């Protein structure tokens, strides 16, 4: 016994006593067993050591300095051995790589920040040099450095650069080019019609939200209810390497592509996107290839996109093969319909040949179906309209840029305040402002017209053209700069003809020489214009603010919206109503047709709308689309024959109620006109009722709230989830009183995003399930809500400590997603949690501290923990559920058989699926979820004869469906993004309920 005690004591002391490192710091921070202290703990401990020196600082300023250091490390991503060796084990170099402090820190607070950051960097290096693996790793690095030095010397001696060095040098040169060409952005109203200046993308860019559906995974992860959720585009990118981004005109698709290219070139991604800093971007704007016979292969990427640099042989292909390429394909909707199959084939070929590369493809929603390329693993997300917080952020960004442009304009603050108030008070402006392009137009016109704003979209465009074509130069006394002085009518006539020619020919750009020839032809009908066609075209290009030259010798409109608006006017003036009806099935003509209704006279509107309905009757396959287009046109027809309006309404009524979120989104495009047609709640199935609520929430406004309020008290689970998620779509107080005050609403899952909603939580004491999105930390209204049994915290960069959750005595389920500062879970100790869901915490977050959660029965993770196998997790035999999602796909299943109560399991990727098939579990699974397996043979589930539910997600090649007949207890199978045809897949017995999800799915 004495010997055992002596040995045990020696082991404990050897583990608990810090090993000596390089001696860079006098008192190393003791490790938090079983691993060294991370940056977050270092900041806390070392900050405490500096208290005496900075004792005169107020506590809140000391905490601000500590939080600043934590944020700096969180933004830098994991500080691992590779990172430290790359910095030469030099704390000063490591400190220099971290981001600058918050500009709000100053004086002694900034001194504390600097000293604390320096100390933390020194301690991190010290800890690494004390690690037992350090000598071996250092020897390896020394040998590698010696090899690189020898190779460099040999290259210099031979006066011939090595291929690797040549490729690396070109990569740096290319990155500088991309950063220079994509680092600036035209902000409408600041550049157009004013000057040729551009703005730093960092100033102009705001993060937008995309829609996702909580879908089957969310319910399986612990969400009792499912429904749509909204996440930022950056978050959506962390869930997949193949993203299909859908959004209407002006929603920010191309700006996002530009932002991705810029950050990849600068290697400035942070947080969960840090790994994207390895990527080299290729921006492929499809409109540039519509006149080409073929689409580019990798070796032609640079030449085809106008990059004037010559890459080393095989450079692009090597990047694609190794997975370091970021392929940004912009504008599928700008490809003529006749060429879209070619585009699809080209993309499929790229993905097949280079499966490790990352892909982002953008399109308007109507151009391709949502499941487009789903068999190739593309995950669709739809850009959402900006909500109230997003609009406020956009207005702030725009006016901040305006102050840079004109710091002496003292009225800008008043303009910003006035516009913010007008957008909040006026429903018409509020709807327009949800689109980034329209919001920029409102900003420009609000400033230009001294806060006198138009109401309708057509009036908005008319005012913008007036500002750009006439008033801006006239008021600034700019005249005849290119030797040309055209009236607004003359400029508009020429621009209309060019726009309509581009539309008819399925183009968004054309050769400049061809454009000049057409202008010369059109000028023959304008004898009053004496200048040469070349001069006139140059004037339009430089002074109109509506044309641009994206590449040398190529011209197009600054935005597709202006092309459609002007082209529609030309079509109406030419009385081409038959042409409009003939092309109405083509999604690229959607806005053209709608704007043509706005331009047309009353009798012409009747002709156009009746033409759409007649064609709908003759073409059953296109009927729904054409009827919805006619319905969307009504918003642009302030005066219309009542009989035609009635007929369109009746045709639209056949398409309601919607039965999916996709149908809800399509109906919502019709706007407020669809609201009177929405039925319910009586007579609707649960799926239909949920979709009706979703439609009204997307439309928004007082009339939409009346529709939603009809479902007040609905106890069906998915309807309740949608009612709880729709709060942020309306005025918080009005929605609370109209919907959430019903006693049955206590069963809903409440989604909270802003401070206004938080302030109202005390009025909803009975709610038990809550999701809180955003940087709110752990606010008092949540901690006082002691009825909570379920809490989800998402995208919360102010969340450092979970100990305050002890104030929630009934809390049993906790879900954390993308709370980057939270790298230490030890503060959960003692909580009575039964379920825990962790999505994208900081890399390296250990699960060992969860041993202090004795009641835990269910764990799901979507990141790579340091525990490499399931058997390394600190759980006893009582665990009943384990979920390993996308980012945890390399965790081995070894040891999973030691949990005899396990009845719920999720595996991701081919490796985990293959390992599961080779294992004999000690318990019968009731629910199995299989994600991300490209070739899935469902006969592999037959050993699990007790299965009751099977969830299949993002598995593009599912086969062996007939094997499911041999599972006697199987009652439900769900498929999502598996590339299956619509309807019930063949081979599955009728006794098994099958659900095929078409909506976006986001891990929560």
């Amino acid at each position: 016994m004495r010997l055992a005690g002596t040995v045990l004591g020696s082991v404990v002391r050897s583990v608990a006593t810090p090993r000596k490192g390089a001696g860079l710091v006098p008192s190393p921070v003791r490790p938090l067993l079983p691993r060294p202290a991370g940056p977050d703990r270092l900041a806390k401990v070392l900050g405490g050591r500096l208290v005496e020196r900075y004792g005169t600082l107020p506590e809140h300023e000391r905490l601000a300095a500590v939080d600043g250091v934590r944020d700096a490390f969180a933004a830098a991503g994991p500080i691992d051995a590779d990172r430290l060796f790359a910095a030469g084990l030099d704390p000063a170099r490591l400190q220099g790589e971290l981001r600058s402090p918050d500009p709000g820190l100053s004086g002694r607070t900034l001194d504390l920040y600097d000293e604390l950051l320096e100390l933390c960097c020194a301690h991190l290096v010290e800890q690494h040099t004390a690690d037992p693996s350090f000598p071996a790793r250092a020897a390896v690095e020394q040998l590698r450095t010696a090899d690189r030095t020898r190779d460099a010397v040999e290259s210099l001696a031979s006066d011939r650069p090595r291929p690797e060095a040549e490729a690396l040098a070109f990569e740096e040169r290319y990155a500088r080019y991309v950063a220079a060409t994509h680092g600036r952005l035209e902000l409408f109203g600041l550049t157009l019609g004013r000057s040729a200046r551009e703005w730093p993308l960092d100033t102009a860019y705001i993060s937008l939200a995309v829609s996702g559906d909580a879908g089957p995974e969310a319910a399986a992860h612990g969400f009792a209810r499912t429904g749509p959720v909204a996440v930022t585009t950056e978050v959506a990118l962390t869930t997949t390497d193949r993203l299909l981004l859908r959004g209407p005109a002006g929603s920010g698709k191309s700006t996002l592509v530009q932002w991705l290219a810029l950050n990849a070139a600068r290697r400035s991604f942070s947080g969960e996107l840090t790994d994207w800093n390895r990527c080299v971007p290729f921006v492929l704007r499809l409109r540039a290839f519509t006149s080409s016979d073929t689409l580019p292969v990798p070796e032609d990427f640079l030449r085809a996109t106008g990059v004037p640099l010559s890459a080393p042989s095989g450079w692009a292909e090597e990047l694609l093969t190794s997975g370091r390429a970021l392929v940004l394909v912009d504008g599928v909707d700008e490809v003529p319909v006749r060429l879209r199959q070619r585009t699809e084939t080209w993309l499929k070929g790229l993905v097949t040949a280079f499966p490790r590369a990352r892909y982002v493809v953008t399109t308007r929603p109507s151009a391709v179906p949502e499941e487009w390329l789903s068999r190739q693993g593309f995950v669709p997300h739809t850009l959402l309209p900006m909500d109230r917080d997003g609009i406020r952020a956009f207005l702030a960004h725009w006016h901040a840029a305006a102050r840079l442009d004109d710091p002496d304009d003292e009225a800008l603050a008043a303009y910003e305040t006035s516009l913010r108030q007008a957008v909040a008070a006026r429903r018409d402006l509020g709807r327009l402002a949800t689109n980034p392009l329209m919001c920029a137009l409102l900003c420009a016109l609000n400033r230009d017209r001294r806060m006198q704003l138009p109401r309708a979209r057509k009036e908005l465009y008319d005012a913008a053209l007036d500002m750009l074509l006439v008033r801006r130069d006239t008021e600034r006394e700019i005249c005849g700069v290119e030797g040309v002085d055209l009236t607004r009518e003359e400029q508009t006539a020429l621009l209309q003809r060019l726009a309509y020619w581009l539309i008819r020919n399925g183009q968004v750009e054309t050769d400049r020489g061809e454009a000049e020839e057409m202008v010369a032809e059109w000028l023959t009908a304008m004898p009053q214009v004496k200048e040469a066609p070349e001069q006139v075209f140059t004037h339009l290009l430089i002074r109109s603010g509506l044309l641009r030259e994206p590449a040398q010798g190529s011209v197009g409109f600054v935005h597709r919206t202006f092309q459609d608006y002007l082209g529609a006017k030309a079509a109406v003036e030419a009385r081409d109503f038959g042409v409009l009806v003939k092309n109405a099935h083509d999604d690229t003509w959607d806005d053209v047709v709608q704007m043509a209704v706005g331009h047309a006279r009353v009798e012409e509107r009747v002709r156009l709308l009746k033409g759409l309905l007649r064609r709908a009757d003759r073409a059953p396959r296109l009927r729904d689309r054409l009827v919805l287009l006619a319905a969307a046109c009504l918003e642009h027809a302030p005066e219309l024959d009542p009989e035609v309006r009635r007929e369109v309404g009746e045709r639209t009524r056949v398409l309601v109620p919607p039965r999916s979120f996709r149908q809800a989104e399509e109906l919502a495009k019709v706007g407020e006109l669809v609201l009177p047609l929405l039925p319910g709640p009586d007579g609707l199935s649960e799926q239909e009722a949920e979709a009706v609520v979703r439609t009204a929430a997307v439309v928004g406004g007082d009339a939409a709230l009346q529709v939603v309020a009809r479902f007040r008290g609905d106890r069906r689970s998915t309807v309740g989830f949608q009612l709880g998620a729709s709060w942020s779509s309306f005025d918080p107080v009005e929605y609370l009183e109209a919907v959430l005050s019903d006693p049955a609403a206590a069963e809903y899952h409440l989604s909270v995003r802003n401070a206004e909603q938080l302030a109202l939580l005390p009025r909803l004491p009975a709610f038990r399930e809550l999701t809180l999105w955003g940087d709110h930390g752990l606010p008092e209204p949540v901690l006082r809500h002691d009825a909570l049994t379920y809490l989800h915290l998402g995208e919360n960069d102010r969340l450092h400590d979970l100990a305050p959750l002890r104030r929630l005595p009934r809390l049993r389920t906790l879900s954390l997603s993308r709370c980057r500062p939270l790298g230490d879970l030890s503060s959960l100790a003692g909580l009575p949690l039964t379920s825990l869901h962790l999505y994208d915490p900081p890399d390296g977050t250990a699960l060992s501290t969860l041993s202090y959660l004795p009641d835990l029965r269910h764990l799901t993770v979507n990141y790579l923990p340091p525990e490499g196998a399931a058997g390394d997790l600190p759980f006893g035999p009582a665990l009943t559920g384990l979920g390993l999602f996308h980012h945890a796909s390399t965790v081995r299943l070894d040891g999973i058989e030691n949990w005899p109560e396990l009845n719920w399991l999720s595996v991701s990727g081919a490796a985990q699926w293959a390992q599961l098939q080779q294992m004999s579990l000690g318990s019968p699974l009731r629910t199995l979820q299989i994600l991300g397996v490209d070739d899935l043979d469902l006969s592999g589930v037959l050993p699990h004869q007790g299965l009751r539910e099977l969830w299949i997600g993002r598995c593009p090649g599912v086969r062996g469906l007939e094997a499911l007949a041999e599972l006697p207890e199987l009652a439900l199978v769900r498929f999502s993004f598996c590339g299956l045809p619509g309807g019930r897949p063949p081979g599955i017995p009728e006794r098994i309920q099958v659900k095929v999800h078409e909506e976006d799915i986001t891990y929560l």
Side-chain angles (χ1 to χ4, degrees), residues 891-908:
V891 174
R892 301 186 308 280
L893 300 182
D894 303 342
I896 201 173
E897 65 276 7
N898 297 327
W899 293 319
E901 301 297 322
L902 191 73
N903 57 56
W904 188 100
L905 178 65
S906 175
V907 296
S908 294

Side-chain angles (χ1 to χ4, degrees), residues 528-587:
Q528 74 278 13
V529 179
K530 305 299 182 184
E531 293 79 9
E534 294 80 7
Q535 287 179 282
V536 172
F537 183 79
T538 300
H539 173 86
L540 294 174
L541 180 62
I542 296 175
R543 303 309 316 167
S544 74
L546 291 172
L547 297 180
R548 65 187 183 115
E549 198 167 11
Q552 188 69 32
S554 179
V555 295
F557 283 84
V558 293
H559 198 278
R560 175 80 169 273
T561 300
F562 291 108
Q563 175 180 307
D564 292 346
Y565 176 82
L566 290 165
K569 194 169 188 296
V572 170
E573 291 180 359
R575 302 180 67 80
D576 279 351
F577 302 110
V579 175
L580 292 167
V581 171
K582 180 181 178 182
N583 289 281
H585 69 283
D586 185 338
D587 60 273

Side-chain angles (χ1 to χ4, degrees), residues 349-584:
L350 277 179
V351 172
T352 302
F354 307 106
R356 297 178 63 190
R358 287 185 165 102
Y359 299 86
V360 176
V361 179
T362 74
T363 182
R364 291 190 187 182
S366 54
V368 293
E370 196 168 22
E371 65 274 9
W372 195 63
L373 296 180
S374 62
R375 284 184 174 272
Q376 284 66 47
F378 277 83
V379 178
H381 283 282
T382 301
L383 279 166
L384 293 173
M386 293 190 295
D387 59 14
R388 291 187 304 160
D389 292 336
I391 292 171
R392 288 172 186 157
F394 189 97
L395 297 180
H397 275 246
W398 194 96
H399 287 89
R403 291 184 188 96
L404 292 176
D405 177 46
D406 190 359
D408 296 327
D409 190 345
E410 298 179 356
L412 280 169
Y415 292 154
E416 181 178 357
T417 301
S418 169
L419 183 55
R420 190 186 307 119
Q421 293 172 346
V423 167
R426 287 177 49 182
R427 169 67 184 147
D428 52 339
L429 293 183
R431 287 194 62 197
L432 288 172
T434 60
N435 177 286
L437 176 65
M438 293 295 100
C439 197
L441 263 174
L442 287 172
C443 291
L445 290 171
N446 186 63
R447 182 184 184 187
D448 182 74
R449 295 166 59 131
R450 305 295 190 270
M451 298 179 283
Q452 301 299 313
L453 287 168
R455 290 183 174 275
R457 186 158 70 140
K458 180 179 179 297
E459 294 176 23
L460 189 65
Y461 290 133
D462 285 339
L465 291 176
D466 182 63
M467 179 183 72
L468 294 174
L469 297 179
V470 181
R471 293 187 54 226
R472 182 64 67 188
D473 278 358
T474 301
E475 292 176 7
R476 296 169 70 206
E477 298 181 355
I478 296 175
C479 183
V481 176
E482 286 78 37
V484 177
D485 188 12
L486 298 177
T487 66
R488 171 183 171 165
E489 289 72 21
E490 290 165 347
Q491 293 181 80
T492 302
L494 294 171
L495 290 168
Q496 284 178 195
R497 292 191 177 191
L498 177 59
Y500 194 33
W501 182 88
L502 289 169
I503 292 168
R504 291 198 315 272
N505 287 275
Q507 297 176 213
V508 291
E509 293 175 7
T510 187
D511 179 75
R512 175 167 179 164
E514 187 168 20
E516 289 178 346
E517 290 177 5
M518 288 189 288
V519 167
E521 179 182 338
W522 299 330
L523 285 176
T524 59
M526 298 181 179
Q528 74 278 13
V529 179
K530 305 299 182 184
E531 293 79 9
E534 294 80 7
Q535 287 179 282
V536 172
F537 183 79
T538 300
H539 173 86
L540 294 174
L541 180 62
I542 296 175
R543 303 309 316 167
S544 74
L546 291 172
L547 297 180
R548 65 187 183 115
E549 198 167 11
Q552 188 69 32
S554 179
V555 295
F557 283 84
V558 293
H559 198 278
R560 175 80 169 273
T561 300
F562 291 108
Q563 175 180 307
D564 292 346
Y565 176 82
L566 290 165
K569 194 169 188 296
V572 170
E573 291 180 359
R575 302 180 67 80
D576 279 351
F577 302 110
V579 175
L580 292 167
V581 171
K582 180 181 178 182
N583 289 281

Side-chain angles (χ1 to χ4, degrees), residues 655-678:
L655 304 179
V656 295
R659 293 166 181 82
S660 68
F661 291 140
R662 181 192 300 178
Q663 293 178 9
E665 300 284 348
E666 289 298 317
L667 274 177
K669 292 178 183 177
V670 177
E672 290 187 335
L673 296 169
V674 76
L675 296 176
L677 307 178
L678 294 176

Side-chain angles (χ1 to χ4, degrees), residues 569-649:
K569 194 169 188 296
V572 170
E573 291 180 359
R575 302 180 67 80
D576 279 351
F577 302 110
V579 175
L580 292 167
V581 171
K582 180 181 178 182
N583 289 281
H585 69 283
D586 185 338
D587 60 273
T588 62
W589 285 70
D590 279 359
D591 282 351
V592 181
V593 174
Q594 292 179 55
M595 292 179 184
V597 169
H599 288 300
R601 292 173 293 189
V602 176
E603 63 275 13
E604 293 170 335
R605 289 172 187 153
V606 170
R607 179 178 174 185
L608 179 52
L609 290 171
K610 283 189 172 182
L612 289 174
L613 297 179
R614 281 195 298 270
R615 189 177 178 208
D617 292 335
R618 295 195 302 268
R621 186 173 58 87
L622 301 173
R623 181 174 55 243
D624 291 357
R625 169 179 172 73
L626 294 173
V627 169
L628 281 176
L629 179 58
C633 288
L634 297 183
E635 186 177 12
H636 304 275
E639 184 181 359
L640 183 65
D641 184 332
E643 182 60 28
V644 174
R645 191 181 295 274
R646 183 194 61 77
E647 184 179 358
V648 173

